[in-house]
Amino acid sequence: MAKIPYKIYLSESEMPTQWHNVRAVMKELPDPFINPATGKACTFDDLRPVFCDDLIEQELNTKDLYIDIPGEIMDFYKMYRPSPLVRAYNLERELETPAEIYYKFEGNNTSGSHKLNSAAAQVYYAKKQGLTHLTTETGAGQWGTALAMACAFYGVDLKVYMVKVSAEQKPHRKNVIRTYGGEGIPSPSDTTEIGRKILAENPGTGGSLGCAISEAMETALKTENCRYVLGSVLNHVLLHQTIIGQETYAACKKYDIQPDIIIGCAGGGSNLGGLISPFMEDRILGKTNTQFVAVEPASCPSLTRGRYAFDFGDTGKTTPLMRMYTLGSGFIPSPNHAGGLRYHGMSPILSKLYHDGYMSAVSYEQTKVFDAAIRFARVEGTLPAPESSHAIKAAIDEALRCKETGEEKTILFGLTGTGYFDMTAYAAYLDGAMTDYIPTDEDLEKGFATLPKVDF
Amino acid sequence: MAKIPYKIYLSESEMPTQWHNVRAVMKELPDPFINPATGKACTFDDLRPVFCDDLIEQELNTKDLYIDIPGEIMDFYKMYRPSPLVRAYNLERELETPAEIYYKFEGNNTSGSHKLNSAAAQVYYAKKQGLTHLTTETGAGQWGTALAMACAFYGVDLKVYMVKVSAEQKPHRKNVIRTYGGEGIPSPSDTTEIGRKILAENPGTGGSLGCAISEAMETALKTENCRYVLGSVLNHVLLHQTIIGQETYAACKKYDIQPDIIIGCAGGGSNLGGLISPFMEDRILGKTNTQFVAVEPASCPSLTRGRYAFDFGDTGKTTPLMRMYTLGSGFIPSPNHAGGLRYHGMSPILSKLYHDGYMSAVSYEQTKVFDAAIRFARVEGTLPAPESSHAIKAAIDEALRCKETGEEKTILFGLTGTGYFDMTAYAAYLDGAMTDYIPTDEDLEKGFATLPKVDF
């Protein structure tokens, strides 16, 4: 075996052409989504007003282990994929660890993250179904940017409702969306009934993700040939993100790399779910004993301190009920710069795997995460996104444990994106102005009190 | 021959390990630098107070066609290189051109541009010589960022004097520099004599590149174990940038791609000089008839409207005299968002090649450049830097000419960087608030009047 290069790039002909659907090998499936109106499992028809047909099929598909990626989506992927699997030689040297450290880097595209993997798929299927318009919401802005890029490519109109306070803090995210022909609308806005209502009641509000979702959904329902699309949590989003895991798996096979532990940050769970999917198959089938670790912010600890319960996906309580680890849809996370990890729940697939003991979880305070981010940047070059840096922190801790024990573990983590649009947070850290926040048990109880009273 | 992939990545073992020194095959060499104090060609000893010994050797080396890249620099390069040579299939389809279009993309690193190629080399040689501190100036900020990354990696202290108005417009560039442990100082500052003098005379000034250079040089001379480093124009900088051309050349050989025309934006000239170097050897030796095109902003047209004359490299008139195409060191370019292309002169090597008819040049107004940038972004995904977009504009024009004539030319251009820190300029364009500026003949005469009166 030749020395492993700094960066493993699969050739175009080695690129996986199928997504990986781990549900097909899970011993127990996640609970189905529940239609709150009927109390019964959501059917294909229940979901049709909201999602494209192909996406609903993927959402409900628990049988097929592999799902072909259409050629048109492969063409899009080839613009920025395969992404590199990087051997962190410099970080290993810096830490003086006997561990081998690898990271799968998804930041080398203009959206700056893995979000583009699902955006491309969702816009393609919308276009295929004859839709001409899409709406979505964005908090940190990576999803909105990714969707704008895909909409420009496939020729679909896009409105992005951006949480007003984020839009004002990161004005250039909106400008990137505009560059790709999308419209970025600070939310609450006067373009929807719900937005006008909120503005009338609370003129100075900075908005919230819940409000932006409500505006995007209202606009989608009122616009012809339009649907609302979502960037995480759902099964079909995780499915699209398995292109990350499929490539990583192929690269590991090619170089005979056997990860002992795979680490990823987890907000809604799509990147981690995508990264681990084919490795989880091996674990479920007893072929390996790979450990999987989800890393979340201490300020929004859905796995480590949440409940496994049926809950709504949005604060407006309009989605189907999903059984997942959740802090309650009414949980209000503290202002936390790792914007993409502020979701109250966790992907139902990951929640189930965690519940069944296939995955563990840790949480970190954000100043510790930025410590790790900067240590990483200075030796590995890439300036990481705050979200991704949660995984870096966990990987460094694991490597330092190996240094103590002498174990030569193989550690692999997902570096989901770059922090180029997060420099306000870096500046706060460098100025010593960043604080940590851990919700009290009382804070959590307030969130749990918003869980729906259901009994299935 | 298999179908050419969207992105050609050389494997690590295929990476070139030598820089290419085109001077070794030029039929006539560029004029030597002149020491203005003696009126004679600069010697090694003349340059020692300013540059590291290894860099001076490279600066003066006109004999060796190949110069080995030290292993320590190769290790740095492997973090972000090889960069991809991209086949612009989507742009070709969008333009309906029979031409094949390729671009060498240097933006996939945190500095966002090719600048890192020379930063790594310069910091390595400084460290090797036992230096502990470096100073530089930065305008648009890419060079400062690149140098901070290299200084973090090799463990060298860095002060970056940032043109105050740019530092204020792009505060996050400074934060990136800080993240890598560098110090960004808005110039003019109170840290130097010249800075204090300028501030006293003109308290509200936004600074200039000339002033920032003067402050960086003063600090370098007053600090022990310190040198001043420069990111473009000089022969050794072009040499380091030939890693771009060496990789491109190897990729072209591997896939039997024979460029008919190679296009690059040109400010100081380092990226274009680096890209074309090995291809220019073939042209000089009569093996090919490849055309080379430098693209510059109409607002700062050193090649297309400048004079081939001996001039200072800085507005403070402290550097050796270089024979180059220049607008005069006193030429004041209009406020132009393509910050990296605002230099009054052009690399002596490129100037000589242009003067001898091996290269042509065109200039474009910036609104046309942004038209092209956005057209490119929407089909190729990547949001390009304004500087790089000059090359995109020229490549699109060439491809459209091919569409008219039916010629199946192979067009290759350098995409030097991303525009993520240039969104203010994109917003101005999208808002219709961007204007063009072409200097009048009178404007140019004022610049030419600042040329030194020399006769060698």
Side-chain angles (χ1 to χ4, degrees), chain B residues 123 126 131-136 151 156-159 226-227 229:
Chain B
V123 178
L131 300 177
T132 52
H133 294 70
L134 292 173
T135 69
T136 196
C151 282
V156 172
D157 237 57
L158 175 68
K159 279 196 171 67
C226 187
R227 289 289 187 288
V229 290

Side-chain angles (χ1 to χ4, degrees), chain B residues 134-150:
Chain B
L134 292 173
T135 69
T136 196
E137 85 292 335
T138 201
Q142 293 176 325
W143 170 243
T145 308
L147 207 59
M149 291 173 70

